[in-house]
Amino acid sequence: MYKRQDQPWSEREPYYRSAFEQLDRLFYTRPPKDLELLPPFDEETYHWEQDYFVENLVETHLSESGDALREDEALASLRKRLGASHRNLVHRDFQSQNIILHDGKSWLIDFQGLRLGRQEYDIASLLYDPYLAHTADEQERLLDLWEDIAEERPIPQLLNDCAIQRLMQALGAYGNILHNQRIDWYAQHIPTGARQLLTLIEDTDLDATLRPYLEKCLEV
């Protein structure tokens, strides 16, 4: 999936609707009992994602110590809140690079991370996709579209928590691919993800924890 700045919303909306319709069906699909899924999103999984961010973005990309982050109470509180429930099937990597556009529809690919988790994590993954860099207005349009399909709107605080967690994971992935796999294309998306995350942590207990590292991402 891609987004051109000059492409009107009316031309993009059908593809987003198609992708969200598939996601909605996935959430309420009951997998066969003999299907082996990855371990569900729980506090330990979110902890791994946060450490992935610390190791690959903070320590490798920024050359900063990550010791304080690994002991940070605000990050521990975030993963504890998110890990309290995992009821639905989630894609785990619901972002534009895993959505193929064909014949007026969207097709999801890359289900290797399929597991039980919070549906808000997948929704946040597309709303705050650094590859697309949606504006605030576009994010509202996407939320309206999701509400039209699912007949409910995500709880704002829970969506915000999931978006923060997801962007940390994405930034960790960019740092890993950039420095360990030597694929320079990902460097351009680190500042975008950092700006999105800076907006999300405003007026939260994670602001003091993450802001110094995210602001440095804008300078590197």
Side-chain angles (χ1 to χ4, degrees):
M1 176 176 283
Y2 67 96
K3 177 185 75 118
R4 294 201 318 266
Q5 295 296 336
D6 61 343
Q7 187 180 32
W9 175 261
S10 60
E11 294 181 12
R12 287 181 273 147
E13 190 270 347
Y15 293 106
Y16 286 120
R17 175 176 290 275
S18 177
F20 273 153
E21 286 173 344
Q22 293 176 67
L23 193 68
D24 185 50
R25 288 196 296 271
L26 176 65
F27 287 157
Y28 298 104
T29 297
R30 178 172 294 181
K33 292 182 179 180
D34 59 350
L35 178 62
E36 293 187 13
L37 297 173
L38 290 173
F41 258 138
D42 56 15
E43 185 176 349
E44 182 179 350
T45 311
Y46 290 118
H47 195 176
W48 181 91
E49 285 191 341
Q50 292 177 1
D51 195 62
Y52 188 64
F53 166 85
V54 173
E55 178 181 352
N56 292 290
L57 185 86
V58 174
E59 295 177 336
T60 300
H61 183 65
L62 299 178
S63 300
E64 296 279 349
S65 172
D67 293 346
L69 289 175
R70 290 191 172 90
E71 302 298 326
D72 186 79
E73 292 185 2
L75 286 175
S77 178
L78 174 64
R79 61 182 180 257
K80 184 174 183 179
R81 291 196 302 272
L82 293 179
S85 174
H86 39 75
R87 299 176 299 154
N88 302 93
L89 273 179
V90 295
H91 183 280
R92 166 58 175 75
D93 200 15
F94 184 67
Q95 42 89 1
S96 56
Q97 301 299 298
N98 288 329
I99 302 174
I100 303 298
L101 309 184
H102 181 66
D103 286 345
K105 294 184 178 180
S106 297
W107 304 84
L108 307 188
I109 63 171
D110 192 6
F111 286 89
Q112 63 185 15
L114 189 70
R115 67 189 72 197
L116 294 176
R118 287 191 176 277
Q119 62 179 8
E120 294 84 1
Y121 186 97
D122 274 350
I123 298 169
S125 297
L126 188 62
L127 261 66
Y128 295 93
D129 183 346
Y131 299 130
L132 297 177
H134 292 118
T135 65
D137 179 66
E138 289 171 336
Q139 290 169 348
E140 283 301 309
R141 286 173 180 263
L142 287 170
L143 284 172
D144 289 342
L145 183 58
W146 173 257
E147 185 175 14
D148 183 56
I149 293 167
E151 299 183 352
E152 62 180 0
R153 202 175 182 92
I155 297 171
Q157 182 58 57
L158 180 54
L159 182 66
N160 200 77
D161 280 350
C162 285
I164 291 171
Q165 177 74 27
R166 169 62 184 185
L167 279 168
M168 290 178 65
Q169 186 278 332
L171 287 168
Y174 299 158
N176 178 39
I177 298 171
L178 172 63
H179 294 283
N180 296 324
Q181 300 181 30
R182 306 293 183 183
I183 303 177
D184 294 341
W185 182 79
Y186 287 86
Q188 65 185 306
H189 301 295
I190 291 177
T192 303
R195 291 189 189 94
Q196 290 177 320
L197 194 43
L198 280 166
T199 299
L200 287 164
I201 63 173
E202 287 182 4
D203 301 321
T204 75
D205 56 359
L206 286 163
D207 193 284
T209 297
L210 296 177
R211 181 168 294 276
Y213 306 101
L214 298 175
E215 289 182 342
K216 188 171 182 180
C217 286
L218 306 182
E219 303 168 0
V220 173

